[in-house]
Amino acid sequence: MPSFDIVSEIDLQEVRNAVDQANREIATRFDFKGVKAHFELADEQIMMTAEQEFQLQQMMDILRQKLVKRAVDLKALDPQAPAVTLSTARQEVRLKQGVDTETAKSMVKTVKGSKLKVQAQIQGDQVRITGKNRDDLQEAIALLRAEDWGLPIKVSNFRD
């Protein structure tokens, strides 16, 4: 039976390259001259450190620009509230990987409510959709891509 998987994943190597480029840009920018500011990538999160909170906002703009140039979807970013002390400001940006259960349930509900002749099931952090007709699967792909799920979705493992 033809099937495909809906997954939400990002290329961590591209994220690493974007973080490196952002660090290099901060080192050369005039408004960051003499400021201790840097990005760190560890365990699917990016930690931004600067001296003041407005510098974190500028760093976030730089990071977004570098990620867009590297074709990383910005929906994968989950910025947390900044933690500001007297001498430093830190902000954590989490990277979303995988389809969470609430989103997966709503995807299944949307597919089943569309009256297409396909079956949808949750398998861990992805959603598998199977059907007898390839055209129905393509309609399901179009249906899922038309919605905004709040995370980058990709179609993978399309089998005929």
Side-chain angles (χ1 to χ4, degrees):
M1 263 177 94
S3 67
F4 68 90
D5 295 333
I6 297 289
V7 296
S8 176
E9 56 188 28
I10 56 174
D11 188 2
L12 288 177
Q13 182 61 42
E14 292 296 333
V15 173
R16 187 174 299 114
N17 291 340
V19 168
D20 289 342
Q21 284 182 342
N23 273 327
R24 276 184 260 144
E25 182 170 333
I26 284 178
T28 60
R29 278 183 56 156
F30 180 75
D31 53 346
F32 282 98
K33 195 160 222 98
V35 175
K36 294 179 183 176
H38 66 280
F39 295 93
E40 286 182 44
L41 175 67
D43 298 332
E44 296 184 4
Q45 69 181 10
I46 301 168
M47 183 62 74
M48 300 187 308
T49 307
E51 292 178 357
Q52 296 178 352
E53 187 175 358
F54 79 91
Q55 291 169 338
L56 289 177
Q57 295 168 355
Q58 292 174 333
M59 290 173 67
M60 190 66 178
D61 290 339
I62 293 169
L63 180 65
R64 284 187 176 126
Q65 289 172 359
K66 299 303 177 189
L67 289 171
V68 166
K69 284 184 182 179
R70 293 253 168 215
V72 176
D73 197 343
L74 295 181
K75 291 179 185 176
L77 298 180
D78 183 20
Q80 304 300 310
V84 181
T85 62
L86 292 175
S87 62
T88 61
R90 302 177 129 238
Q91 184 174 11
E92 179 182 345
V93 180
R94 295 184 183 146
L95 302 173
K96 297 180 197 173
Q97 294 257 56
V99 180
D100 57 297
T101 55
E102 295 85 26
T103 306
K105 286 179 183 178
S106 63
M107 284 181 180
V108 170
K109 187 175 182 180
T110 301
V111 168
K112 289 186 178 185
S114 68
K115 303 296 182 192
L116 292 173
K117 295 182 181 179
V118 294
Q119 293 80 35
Q121 57 187 353
I122 301 171
Q123 293 185 340
D125 61 348
Q126 63 186 13
V127 177
R128 174 156 294 165
I129 300 182
T130 58
K132 292 182 180 178
N133 191 351
R134 186 176 186 176
D135 294 335
D136 290 339
L137 291 178
Q138 290 176 344
E139 287 180 32
I141 291 172
L143 176 73
L144 290 171
R145 284 194 175 153
E147 296 276 334
D148 181 26
W149 302 106
L151 47 102
I153 61 169
K154 294 182 183 177
V155 176
S156 69
N157 209 9
F158 194 96
R159 295 186 191 138
D160 200 8

mmCIF file of all heavy atoms in Angstrom, residues 103-139:
data_model
loop_
_atom_site.group_PDB
_atom_site.id
_atom_site.type_symbol
_atom_site.label_atom_id
_atom_site.label_comp_id
_atom_site.label_asym_id
_atom_site.label_seq_id
_atom_site.Cartn_x
_atom_site.Cartn_y
_atom_site.Cartn_z
ATOM 1 N N THR A 103 -0.117 18.078 18.243
ATOM 2 C CA THR A 103 -0.125 18.426 16.831
ATOM 3 C C THR A 103 -0.410 17.198 15.982
ATOM 4 O O THR A 103 -1.157 17.271 15.002
ATOM 5 C CB THR A 103 1.229 19.043 16.431
ATOM 6 O OG1 THR A 103 1.518 20.132 17.307
ATOM 7 C CG2 THR A 103 1.201 19.547 15.009
ATOM 8 N N ALA A 104 0.161 16.057 16.366
ATOM 9 C CA ALA A 104 -0.082 14.823 15.617
ATOM 10 C C ALA A 104 -1.556 14.436 15.680
ATOM 11 O O ALA A 104 -2.140 14.018 14.665
ATOM 12 C CB ALA A 104 0.793 13.699 16.165
ATOM 13 N N LYS A 105 -2.170 14.588 16.845
ATOM 14 C CA LYS A 105 -3.594 14.268 16.967
ATOM 15 C C LYS A 105 -4.439 15.184 16.094
ATOM 16 O O LYS A 105 -5.401 14.736 15.459
ATOM 17 C CB LYS A 105 -4.038 14.377 18.429
ATOM 18 C CG LYS A 105 -3.554 13.240 19.287
ATOM 19 C CD LYS A 105 -3.997 13.419 20.725
ATOM 20 C CE LYS A 105 -3.443 12.315 21.613
ATOM 21 N NZ LYS A 105 -3.833 12.498 23.022
ATOM 22 N N SER A 106 -4.102 16.467 16.056
ATOM 23 C CA SER A 106 -4.880 17.382 15.214
ATOM 24 C C SER A 106 -4.644 17.101 13.727
ATOM 25 O O SER A 106 -5.562 17.269 12.917
ATOM 26 C CB SER A 106 -4.564 18.831 15.558
ATOM 27 O OG SER A 106 -3.221 19.125 15.306
ATOM 28 N N MET A 107 -3.445 16.655 13.352
ATOM 29 C CA MET A 107 -3.191 16.264 11.961
ATOM 30 C C MET A 107 -4.047 15.062 11.579
ATOM 31 O O MET A 107 -4.661 15.034 10.505
ATOM 32 C CB MET A 107 -1.707 15.922 11.757
ATOM 33 C CG MET A 107 -0.796 17.083 11.670
ATOM 34 S SD MET A 107 0.888 16.495 11.406
ATOM 35 C CE MET A 107 1.762 18.028 11.344
ATOM 36 N N VAL A 108 -4.086 14.060 12.451
ATOM 37 C CA VAL A 108 -4.902 12.874 12.198
ATOM 38 C C VAL A 108 -6.372 13.258 12.094
ATOM 39 O O VAL A 108 -7.093 12.785 11.199
ATOM 40 C CB VAL A 108 -4.665 11.806 13.298
ATOM 41 C CG1 VAL A 108 -5.676 10.678 13.205
ATOM 42 C CG2 VAL A 108 -3.253 11.262 13.205
ATOM 43 N N LYS A 109 -6.811 14.132 12.966
ATOM 44 C CA LYS A 109 -8.210 14.565 12.957
ATOM 45 C C LYS A 109 -8.539 15.315 11.661
ATOM 46 O O LYS A 109 -9.606 15.123 11.082
ATOM 47 C CB LYS A 109 -8.468 15.461 14.168
ATOM 48 C CG LYS A 109 -9.899 15.838 14.374
ATOM 49 C CD LYS A 109 -10.064 16.631 15.662
ATOM 50 C CE LYS A 109 -11.511 16.989 15.906
ATOM 51 N NZ LYS A 109 -11.677 17.744 17.150
ATOM 52 N N THR A 110 -7.614 16.146 11.198
ATOM 53 C CA THR A 110 -7.823 16.890 9.955
ATOM 54 C C THR A 110 -7.900 15.946 8.765
ATOM 55 O O THR A 110 -8.761 16.097 7.898
ATOM 56 C CB THR A 110 -6.680 17.905 9.747
ATOM 57 O OG1 THR A 110 -6.655 18.799 10.848
ATOM 58 C CG2 THR A 110 -6.865 18.684 8.467
ATOM 59 N N VAL A 111 -7.012 14.952 8.729
ATOM 60 C CA VAL A 111 -7.010 14.001 7.614
ATOM 61 C C VAL A 111 -8.279 13.167 7.620
ATOM 62 O O VAL A 111 -8.908 12.951 6.577
ATOM 63 C CB VAL A 111 -5.748 13.108 7.658
ATOM 64 C CG1 VAL A 111 -5.858 11.948 6.697
ATOM 65 C CG2 VAL A 111 -4.514 13.935 7.354
ATOM 66 N N LYS A 112 -8.688 12.702 8.785
ATOM 67 C CA LYS A 112 -9.911 11.890 8.863
ATOM 68 C C LYS A 112 -11.155 12.717 8.572
ATOM 69 O O LYS A 112 -12.122 12.205 8.020
ATOM 70 C CB LYS A 112 -10.012 11.217 10.232
ATOM 71 C CG LYS A 112 -8.992 10.116 10.394
ATOM 72 C CD LYS A 112 -9.172 9.355 11.678
ATOM 73 C CE LYS A 112 -8.142 8.238 11.739
ATOM 74 N NZ LYS A 112 -8.330 7.389 12.897
ATOM 75 N N GLY A 113 -11.146 13.984 8.927
ATOM 76 C CA GLY A 113 -12.287 14.850 8.658
ATOM 77 C C GLY A 113 -12.390 15.293 7.212
ATOM 78 O O GLY A 113 -13.405 15.845 6.797
ATOM 79 N N SER A 114 -11.351 15.057 6.422
ATOM 80 C CA SER A 114 -11.355 15.502 5.033
ATOM 81 C C SER A 114 -12.098 14.549 4.104
ATOM 82 O O SER A 114 -12.271 14.852 2.929
ATOM 83 C CB SER A 114 -9.923 15.660 4.533
ATOM 84 O OG SER A 114 -9.311 14.392 4.437
ATOM 85 N N LYS A 115 -12.510 13.397 4.606
ATOM 86 C CA LYS A 115 -13.240 12.385 3.832
ATOM 87 C C LYS A 115 -12.416 11.788 2.691
ATOM 88 O O LYS A 115 -12.961 11.265 1.740
ATOM 89 C CB LYS A 115 -14.554 12.952 3.272
ATOM 90 C CG LYS A 115 -15.492 13.518 4.309
ATOM 91 C CD LYS A 115 -15.977 12.460 5.258
ATOM 92 C CE LYS A 115 -16.962 13.081 6.257
ATOM 93 N NZ LYS A 115 -17.264 12.221 7.348
ATOM 94 N N LEU A 116 -11.080 11.901 2.790
ATOM 95 C CA LEU A 116 -10.215 11.219 1.832
ATOM 96 C C LEU A 116 -10.126 9.750 2.224
ATOM 97 O O LEU A 116 -10.275 9.402 3.394
ATOM 98 C CB LEU A 116 -8.810 11.839 1.829
ATOM 99 C CG LEU A 116 -8.689 13.264 1.290
ATOM 100 C CD1 LEU A 116 -7.279 13.788 1.517
ATOM 101 C CD2 LEU A 116 -9.037 13.308 -0.176
ATOM 102 N N LYS A 117 -9.867 8.909 1.249
ATOM 103 C CA LYS A 117 -9.781 7.476 1.524
ATOM 104 C C LYS A 117 -8.353 7.109 1.921
ATOM 105 O O LYS A 117 -7.671 6.354 1.236
ATOM 106 C CB LYS A 117 -10.221 6.679 0.303
ATOM 107 C CG LYS A 117 -11.679 6.892 -0.024
ATOM 108 C CD LYS A 117 -12.106 6.070 -1.202
ATOM 109 C CE LYS A 117 -13.569 6.329 -1.500
ATOM 110 N NZ LYS A 117 -14.024 5.567 -2.663
ATOM 111 N N VAL A 118 -7.923 7.674 3.046
ATOM 112 C CA VAL A 118 -6.596 7.404 3.594
ATOM 113 C C VAL A 118 -6.731 7.174 5.088
ATOM 114 O O VAL A 118 -7.700 7.602 5.717
ATOM 115 C CB VAL A 118 -5.607 8.570 3.321
ATOM 116 C CG1 VAL A 118 -5.334 8.726 1.847
ATOM 117 C CG2 VAL A 118 -6.095 9.862 3.915
ATOM 118 N N GLN A 119 -5.733 6.483 5.649
ATOM 119 C CA GLN A 119 -5.684 6.252 7.086
ATOM 120 C C GLN A 119 -4.458 6.978 7.636
ATOM 121 O O GLN A 119 -3.395 6.964 7.027
ATOM 122 C CB GLN A 119 -5.566 4.754 7.415
ATOM 123 C CG GLN A 119 -6.781 3.930 7.065
ATOM 124 C CD GLN A 119 -6.843 3.583 5.582
ATOM 125 O OE1 GLN A 119 -5.822 3.364 4.967
ATOM 126 N NE2 GLN A 119 -8.040 3.566 5.030
ATOM 127 N N ALA A 120 -4.622 7.583 8.795
ATOM 128 C CA ALA A 120 -3.523 8.293 9.449
ATOM 129 C C ALA A 120 -3.314 7.692 10.823
ATOM 130 O O ALA A 120 -4.274 7.383 11.531
ATOM 131 C CB ALA A 120 -3.848 9.775 9.568
ATOM 132 N N GLN A 121 -2.039 7.501 11.167
ATOM 133 C CA GLN A 121 -1.719 6.963 12.486
ATOM 134 C C GLN A 121 -0.448 7.613 13.012
ATOM 135 O O GLN A 121 0.434 7.974 12.247
ATOM 136 C CB GLN A 121 -1.586 5.451 12.447
ATOM 137 C CG GLN A 121 -0.551 4.937 11.470
ATOM 138 C CD GLN A 121 -0.587 3.428 11.358
ATOM 139 O OE1 GLN A 121 -1.288 2.780 12.101
ATOM 140 N NE2 GLN A 121 0.180 2.890 10.434
ATOM 141 N N ILE A 122 -0.390 7.751 14.320
ATOM 142 C CA ILE A 122 0.760 8.371 14.972
ATOM 143 C C ILE A 122 1.784 7.282 15.275
ATOM 144 O O ILE A 122 1.457 6.258 15.864
ATOM 145 C CB ILE A 122 0.323 9.080 16.270
ATOM 146 C CG1 ILE A 122 -0.719 10.141 15.956
ATOM 147 C CG2 ILE A 122 1.518 9.679 16.983
ATOM 148 C CD1 ILE A 122 -1.373 10.733 17.173
ATOM 149 N N GLN A 123 3.018 7.541 14.867
ATOM 150 C CA GLN A 123 4.115 6.606 15.151
ATOM 151 C C GLN A 123 5.265 7.389 15.769
ATOM 152 O O GLN A 123 6.113 7.923 15.068
ATOM 153 C CB GLN A 123 4.582 5.914 13.874
ATOM 154 C CG GLN A 123 3.558 4.988 13.292
ATOM 155 C CD GLN A 123 4.096 4.223 12.099
ATOM 156 O OE1 GLN A 123 5.069 4.627 11.482
ATOM 157 N NE2 GLN A 123 3.458 3.111 11.800
ATOM 158 N N GLY A 124 5.264 7.451 17.073
ATOM 159 C CA GLY A 124 6.321 8.172 17.783
ATOM 160 C C GLY A 124 6.227 9.666 17.536
ATOM 161 O O GLY A 124 5.232 10.294 17.880
ATOM 162 N N ASP A 125 7.252 10.241 16.917
ATOM 163 C CA ASP A 125 7.249 11.674 16.648
ATOM 164 C C ASP A 125 6.969 11.980 15.182
ATOM 165 O O ASP A 125 7.387 13.003 14.665
ATOM 166 C CB ASP A 125 8.567 12.302 17.092
ATOM 167 C CG ASP A 125 9.761 11.725 16.355
ATOM 168 O OD1 ASP A 125 9.599 10.698 15.667
ATOM 169 O OD2 ASP A 125 10.847 12.314 16.457
ATOM 170 N N GLN A 126 6.243 11.078 14.512
ATOM 171 C CA GLN A 126 5.849 11.303 13.130
ATOM 172 C C GLN A 126 4.445 10.751 12.901
ATOM 173 O O GLN A 126 3.920 10.007 13.722
ATOM 174 C CB GLN A 126 6.844 10.662 12.170
ATOM 175 C CG GLN A 126 6.932 9.154 12.266
ATOM 176 C CD GLN A 126 8.040 8.603 11.396
ATOM 177 O OE1 GLN A 126 8.888 9.339 10.917
ATOM 178 N NE2 GLN A 126 8.042 7.312 11.190
ATOM 179 N N VAL A 127 3.854 11.121 11.782
ATOM 180 C CA VAL A 127 2.514 10.662 11.424
ATOM 181 C C VAL A 127 2.622 9.922 10.099
ATOM 182 O O VAL A 127 3.157 10.469 9.124
ATOM 183 C CB VAL A 127 1.529 11.851 11.293
ATOM 184 C CG1 VAL A 127 0.160 11.365 10.863
ATOM 185 C CG2 VAL A 127 1.435 12.613 12.597
ATOM 186 N N ARG A 128 2.137 8.693 10.061
ATOM 187 C CA ARG A 128 2.154 7.906 8.824
ATOM 188 C C ARG A 128 0.760 7.910 8.215
ATOM 189 O O ARG A 128 -0.232 7.673 8.901
ATOM 190 C CB ARG A 128 2.591 6.472 9.092
ATOM 191 C CG ARG A 128 2.448 5.625 7.820
ATOM 192 C CD ARG A 128 3.308 4.431 7.775
ATOM 193 N NE ARG A 128 4.698 4.836 7.720
ATOM 194 C CZ ARG A 128 5.693 3.994 7.955
ATOM 195 N NH1 ARG A 128 5.450 2.753 8.267
ATOM 196 N NH2 ARG A 128 6.928 4.410 7.891
ATOM 197 N N ILE A 129 0.712 8.160 6.926
ATOM 198 C CA ILE A 129 -0.552 8.181 6.196
ATOM 199 C C ILE A 129 -0.475 7.150 5.084
ATOM 200 O O ILE A 129 0.473 7.155 4.288
ATOM 201 C CB ILE A 129 -0.845 9.585 5.646
ATOM 202 C CG1 ILE A 129 -0.936 10.556 6.811
ATOM 203 C CG2 ILE A 129 -2.103 9.582 4.803
ATOM 204 C CD1 ILE A 129 -1.262 11.953 6.467
ATOM 205 N N THR A 130 -1.453 6.255 5.052
ATOM 206 C CA THR A 130 -1.500 5.205 4.050
ATOM 207 C C THR A 130 -2.829 5.274 3.313
ATOM 208 O O THR A 130 -3.835 5.732 3.849
ATOM 209 C CB THR A 130 -1.358 3.809 4.682
ATOM 210 O OG1 THR A 130 -2.408 3.630 5.634
ATOM 211 C CG2 THR A 130 -0.030 3.651 5.371
ATOM 212 N N GLY A 131 -2.814 4.795 2.082
ATOM 213 C CA GLY A 131 -4.025 4.765 1.273
ATOM 214 C C GLY A 131 -3.820 3.897 0.059
ATOM 215 O O GLY A 131 -2.696 3.544 -0.300
ATOM 216 N N LYS A 132 -4.912 3.528 -0.594
ATOM 217 C CA LYS A 132 -4.824 2.661 -1.769
ATOM 218 C C LYS A 132 -4.455 3.442 -3.019
ATOM 219 O O LYS A 132 -3.838 2.909 -3.925
ATOM 220 C CB LYS A 132 -6.156 1.952 -1.990
ATOM 221 C CG LYS A 132 -6.481 0.949 -0.923
ATOM 222 C CD LYS A 132 -7.786 0.253 -1.214
ATOM 223 C CE LYS A 132 -8.086 -0.753 -0.113
ATOM 224 N NZ LYS A 132 -9.371 -1.423 -0.323
ATOM 225 N N ASN A 133 -4.837 4.715 -3.060
ATOM 226 C CA ASN A 133 -4.654 5.510 -4.262
ATOM 227 C C ASN A 133 -3.588 6.573 -4.034
ATOM 228 O O ASN A 133 -3.625 7.309 -3.039
ATOM 229 C CB ASN A 133 -5.996 6.168 -4.623
ATOM 230 C CG ASN A 133 -5.987 6.791 -5.990
ATOM 231 O OD1 ASN A 133 -4.949 6.895 -6.634
ATOM 232 N ND2 ASN A 133 -7.162 7.207 -6.434
ATOM 233 N N ARG A 134 -2.663 6.675 -4.960
ATOM 234 C CA ARG A 134 -1.590 7.656 -4.846
ATOM 235 C C ARG A 134 -2.130 9.085 -4.914
ATOM 236 O O ARG A 134 -1.611 9.986 -4.271
ATOM 237 C CB ARG A 134 -0.591 7.407 -5.968
ATOM 238 C CG ARG A 134 0.628 8.244 -5.910
ATOM 239 C CD ARG A 134 1.582 7.844 -6.998
ATOM 240 N NE ARG A 134 2.818 8.575 -6.842
ATOM 241 C CZ ARG A 134 3.868 8.397 -7.580
ATOM 242 N NH1 ARG A 134 3.852 7.490 -8.525
ATOM 243 N NH2 ARG A 134 4.945 9.093 -7.381
ATOM 244 N N ASP A 135 -3.181 9.299 -5.699
ATOM 245 C CA ASP A 135 -3.772 10.630 -5.814
ATOM 246 C C ASP A 135 -4.362 11.099 -4.484
ATOM 247 O O ASP A 135 -4.286 12.280 -4.138
ATOM 248 C CB ASP A 135 -4.845 10.650 -6.900
ATOM 249 C CG ASP A 135 -4.259 10.427 -8.296
ATOM 250 O OD1 ASP A 135 -3.060 10.723 -8.477
ATOM 251 O OD2 ASP A 135 -4.997 9.935 -9.173
ATOM 252 N N ASP A 136 -4.959 10.166 -3.744
ATOM 253 C CA ASP A 136 -5.493 10.519 -2.425
ATOM 254 C C ASP A 136 -4.374 10.940 -1.478
ATOM 255 O O ASP A 136 -4.537 11.863 -0.673
ATOM 256 C CB ASP A 136 -6.273 9.343 -1.826
ATOM 257 C CG ASP A 136 -7.583 9.075 -2.551
ATOM 258 O OD1 ASP A 136 -8.076 10.001 -3.234
ATOM 259 O OD2 ASP A 136 -8.096 7.949 -2.434
ATOM 260 N N LEU A 137 -3.234 10.265 -1.574
ATOM 261 C CA LEU A 137 -2.091 10.639 -0.733
ATOM 262 C C LEU A 137 -1.589 12.038 -1.085
ATOM 263 O O LEU A 137 -1.241 12.813 -0.197
ATOM 264 C CB LEU A 137 -0.970 9.624 -0.877
ATOM 265 C CG LEU A 137 -1.222 8.234 -0.294
ATOM 266 C CD1 LEU A 137 -0.036 7.331 -0.551
ATOM 267 C CD2 LEU A 137 -1.514 8.315 1.182
ATOM 268 N N GLN A 138 -1.571 12.349 -2.370
ATOM 269 C CA GLN A 138 -1.121 13.680 -2.779
ATOM 270 C C GLN A 138 -2.102 14.759 -2.323
ATOM 271 O O GLN A 138 -1.696 15.861 -1.960
ATOM 272 C CB GLN A 138 -0.904 13.726 -4.284
ATOM 273 C CG GLN A 138 0.303 12.911 -4.698
ATOM 274 C CD GLN A 138 0.499 12.838 -6.197
ATOM 275 O OE1 GLN A 138 -0.409 13.138 -6.959
ATOM 276 N NE2 GLN A 138 1.689 12.425 -6.605
ATOM 277 N N GLU A 139 -3.389 14.448 -2.316
ATOM 278 C CA GLU A 139 -4.376 15.391 -1.785
ATOM 279 C C GLU A 139 -4.183 15.579 -0.279
ATOM 280 O O GLU A 139 -4.346 16.688 0.240
ATOM 281 C CB GLU A 139 -5.790 14.898 -2.078
ATOM 282 C CG GLU A 139 -6.195 15.027 -3.526
ATOM 283 C CD GLU A 139 -7.604 14.524 -3.774
ATOM 284 O OE1 GLU A 139 -8.455 14.647 -2.856
ATOM 285 O OE2 GLU A 139 -7.855 14.010 -4.865
#
